[in-house]
Amino acid sequence: MSPVTGAVGLTAVWAGLPGGSVLDERPVDGVGVLTTAVLDLDADVPTLHAWCTARGTAFWGLGGLTVDELRDTYAVVDATAHHHALLVRIDGVPVALVQAYEPAHDPVGEVYDVQPGDLGAHVLVGARPPRAVAGYTARLLRAMCQVLADRTGATRIVGEPDARNTALLRVVERIGFTLGPEVDLPTKRARLTFYDVTPSI
């Protein structure tokens, strides 16, 4: 499918793809088969709602929404050419949501010097995989960074987790992210994180 009018940046090829479109599928050693697809507003939002309202996901900031309100929220994301919601499965089981976005077209682009090859990403790890995986969160995040790089040509993944989310900051630092400064964004005090990655395909 050709990029739609108004599509921008590294993710232009994803603009206009229907929900459920598979963007990437690959085996990941020690994890399983990792499948990344465009979020399906009808099929996937109930699962996403369960994750957003679960204990331990308060930093995602959507726990107070109903299923319909959450669907409306992601319908806005779906209609945005520079921001894309992706559902991640391991061996067919939904495990995470990734929101990939163009930093130059996002508020984060106003608080740091955006470089060519930068791709922003939010990640919500919602569930465990079908079988036990040692160091699961770190393995999943590392694999997803590689997927994003391979499918967009990005050379650096930029994150902006809540500055209070020390558990996630420890994980991303362990897998090779560089921790940047704390910054004020419209909805939170965030800590910038940067991960250099080379596309492998």
Side-chain angles (χ1 to χ4, degrees):
M1 176 179 292
S2 299
V4 300
T5 301
V8 293
L10 299 172
T11 62
V13 70
W14 294 346
L17 290 177
S21 298
V22 174
L23 304 179
D24 186 272
E25 187 166 84
R26 66 182 65 193
V28 177
D29 288 345
V31 175
V33 176
L34 191 73
T35 304
T36 305
V38 177
L39 183 74
D40 186 315
L41 293 175
D42 295 317
D44 299 332
V45 166
T47 296
L48 179 56
H49 184 262
W51 294 347
C52 289
T53 55
R55 182 179 178 183
T57 59
F59 288 122
W60 197 250
L62 300 177
L65 300 183
T66 66
V67 173
D68 288 342
E69 289 168 339
L70 188 65
R71 188 188 189 285
D72 290 344
T73 297
Y74 279 95
V76 173
V77 173
D78 186 56
T80 303
H82 54 78
H83 202 135
H84 308 274
L86 313 174
L87 191 79
V88 180
R89 293 177 172 85
I90 294 177
D91 295 336
V93 176
V95 295
L97 176 79
V98 174
Q99 291 178 213
Y101 64 93
E102 306 286 347
H105 299 274
D106 187 87
V108 75
E110 300 177 8
V111 296
Y112 91 101
D113 185 16
V114 179
Q115 300 296 310
D118 281 0
L119 182 68
H122 308 296
V123 181
L124 172 63
V125 179
R128 308 292 297 182
R131 59 189 177 85
V133 174
Y136 166 60
T137 300
R139 284 173 178 256
L140 177 62
L141 293 178
R142 188 182 294 112
M144 282 312 306
C145 287
Q146 193 63 57
V147 168
L148 293 175
D150 290 346
R151 292 304 170 201
T152 67
T155 54
R156 187 168 69 161
I157 305 300
V158 179
E160 30 127 326
D162 192 297
R164 299 167 297 169
N165 194 350
T166 55
L168 177 62
L169 290 168
R170 283 195 299 269
V171 172
V172 298
E173 191 172 26
R174 190 162 65 243
I175 66 175
F177 275 79
T178 298
L179 301 187
E182 291 190 9
V183 295
D184 289 314
L185 295 175
T187 60
K188 63 185 176 183
R189 177 77 172 172
R191 182 77 181 267
L192 294 179
T193 65
F194 303 95
Y195 182 74
D196 293 321
V197 60
T198 302
S200 61
I201 57 176

